[in-house]
Amino acid sequence: MGCISTSGRWVDVDIGVPQGAVLSPVLSNLHLHSFDQFMQSRTKYYVRYADDVLITLDIYLSLIIKLRIS
């Protein structure tokens, strides 16, 4: 396992959790739990599956928000 450094050279990485490892979703859930709580307190149109986030608005609500901002 490795990555390309900012100087463009290959660097071997032997620490951390590899992408796609079994532990990745657990760590993601631990890290994003407070974000989930925050978003759910602000909108009912919030969905997160693993590390994918979907926030939707209905068109009427979106229009009202735009009119209030401008």
Side-chain angles (χ1 to χ4, degrees):
M1 289 296 250
C3 66
I4 298 176
S5 69
T6 55
S7 63
R9 301 187 67 161
W10 180 261
V11 178
D12 286 327
V13 177
D14 56 354
I15 60 173
V17 178
Q19 184 175 3
V22 176
L23 192 55
S24 293
V26 174
L27 294 176
S28 174
N29 284 334
L30 287 172
H31 183 73
L32 293 173
H33 180 70
S34 58
F35 178 73
D36 293 341
Q37 290 177 325
F38 172 79
M39 291 303 295
Q40 288 173 347
S41 71
R42 301 292 192 270
T43 180
K44 63 181 179 179
Y45 301 106
Y46 168 77
V47 177
R48 181 175 68 84
Y49 180 78
D51 62 349
D52 295 326
V53 174
L54 177 66
I55 303 170
T56 62
L57 292 172
D58 64 26
I59 290 178
Y60 181 72
L61 179 61
S62 179
L63 191 60
I64 290 173
I65 291 171
K66 279 186 179 181
L67 290 174
R68 286 187 181 172
I69 291 174
S70 55

